[in-house]
Amino acid sequence: MSTETQEDGDDLEERVSNFLRRNFPQIQMHGGSAAIQNIDRETGEVTIMLGGACSGCGISPMTIQAIKSRMVKEIPEIEKVNADTGMGGGGGGMNPSFPGETSDDGDDDEGPQAPF
């Protein structure tokens, strides 16, 4: 039985990989990458990391939103998608927010500061 579970898990990971390749070829065409960091089969949660050129790209928040909304519709086992560019962890980058999500970190975010 554990073999079946492992095979099902491998199939899920393959479907998530195929989803990313099929739906977002522009990520690679523009020098970016999308990698699966974690799949929690019990909760249906997937964590995706965008890298390469995505890390500084101004449209990566829209790419993340598209991944989040499309993946849960296309892959029934997936209930939640966490996606990030890796810039939110102390590197001074942004951590995008999306409609329906709230952030209660106490910071008043007025957007990026002008470079001058």
Side-chain angles (χ1 to χ4, degrees):
M1 180 123 177
S2 63
T3 304
E4 285 180 29
T5 305
Q6 183 63 34
E7 287 174 9
D8 290 345
D10 290 344
D11 178 54
L12 181 58
E13 186 170 346
E14 185 175 325
R15 286 186 289 145
V16 171
S17 292
N18 287 337
F19 168 86
L20 292 170
R21 272 193 298 274
R22 188 176 62 253
N23 287 292
F24 298 97
Q26 67 271 28
I27 291 174
Q28 284 188 318
M29 290 185 341
H30 292 132
S33 63
I36 301 167
Q37 297 295 302
N38 186 45
I39 298 178
D40 187 331
R41 289 158 184 85
E42 290 182 22
T43 63
E45 213 167 314
V46 173
T47 303
I48 305 291
M49 182 64 69
L50 299 180
C54 292
S55 294
C57 181
I59 65 166
S60 58
M62 289 183 279
T63 302
I64 290 171
Q65 180 61 30
I67 290 170
K68 286 182 170 188
S69 64
R70 291 181 192 174
M71 190 180 294
V72 296
K73 291 177 184 173
E74 191 170 315
I75 304 173
E77 296 90 338
I78 303 301
E79 295 189 25
K80 182 176 180 183
V81 179
N82 301 304
D84 195 7
T85 60
M87 292 187 65
M94 64 181 186
N95 193 358
S97 61
F98 303 100
E101 292 184 354
T102 58
S103 174
D104 212 8
D105 58 10
D107 291 336
D108 290 334
D109 185 9
E110 296 180 15
Q113 296 297 315
F116 47 88

